[in-house]
Amino acid sequence: MNTKCLIIGSGPAGYTAGLYLSRAGIEATILSGPQIGGQLTDTHEIENYPGFPENISGYDLMEKMKLQSEKFGTKVLTGVVTEVDFSKRPFIIKTDDNQEFVSESVIIATGATAKYTGLEAEKKYLGQGVSACAVCDGFFYRKQDVVVVGGGDTAAGDALYLSNI
């Protein structure tokens, strides 16, 4: 399949890229991985996204972003990218289901994935006291004792952020 711009990833950045490209008259195709809408679709309730004072679920927000992007002509397809040849133009992108895309430009908007310890209790209490986003969820734990698990820059930054609330 040929497209002017292939966007790898269907989270907020992918849908926003598709929206702006399509509105500018540039053919855009979003290639979603296995989780259409990205990891935000797992968020039960979002209360800190501008424009939604009554809160919105992550799934509903991503569905609205998808529909708005498609409204202007963005194509949204599924497939996991397994290979990209950036050595020559146009770029050739291959997926795990043997699709092949030819594109003049590629936007990589694959987002992030939280790292967990793998403990059963962690899975059991995810979203009920266990969180992977201090900025997103720190508000719920203000004036409480919390534990930050991790040893990198993100853990240190989250600990500093939480210490102020």
Side-chain angles (χ1 to χ4, degrees):
M1 172 181 190
N2 290 348
T3 186
K4 194 81 163 169
C5 183
L6 182 74
I7 302 160
I8 303 171
S10 64
Y15 287 141
T16 301
L19 171 66
Y20 277 83
L21 286 165
S22 293
R23 288 187 68 224
I26 300 169
E27 179 189 36
T29 302
I30 292 175
L31 190 56
S32 173
Q35 188 172 18
I36 298 172
Q39 73 174 353
L40 197 57
T41 58
D42 291 335
T43 304
H44 174 68
E45 188 173 41
I46 299 170
E47 63 180 15
N48 62 341
Y49 193 85
F52 294 93
E54 304 302 320
N55 303 346
I56 187 168
S57 75
Y59 178 84
D60 289 342
L61 177 62
M62 295 317 304
E63 186 63 22
K64 287 179 182 292
M65 291 181 83
K66 177 179 183 261
L67 291 171
Q68 187 176 17
S69 186
E70 289 176 324
K71 172 183 168 182
F72 292 98
T74 303
K75 293 182 195 93
V76 180
L77 307 173
T78 58
V80 176
V81 173
T82 57
E83 184 180 334
V84 180
D85 183 359
F86 286 123
S87 67
K88 62 184 182 326
R89 288 182 186 263
F91 303 124
I92 298 174
I93 302 93
K94 296 181 180 176
T95 66
D96 63 343
D97 57 355
N98 298 315
Q99 294 182 83
E100 185 173 288
F101 295 85
V102 178
S103 185
E104 293 178 30
S105 58
V106 174
I107 294 175
I108 301 171
T110 53
T113 303
K115 291 184 180 179
Y116 294 97
T117 63
L119 297 170
E120 280 302 313
E122 182 181 58
K123 293 174 191 164
K124 179 179 178 182
Y125 295 109
L126 187 61
Q128 300 173 51
V130 172
S131 169
C133 182
V135 174
C136 305
D137 301 330
F139 172 83
F140 301 114
Y141 307 107
R142 69 183 185 280
K143 297 184 181 182
Q144 295 184 41
D145 292 334
V146 297
V147 174
V148 176
V149 178
D153 291 349
T154 301
D158 285 353
L160 287 171
Y161 175 80
L162 291 167
S163 72
N164 289 316
I165 59 171

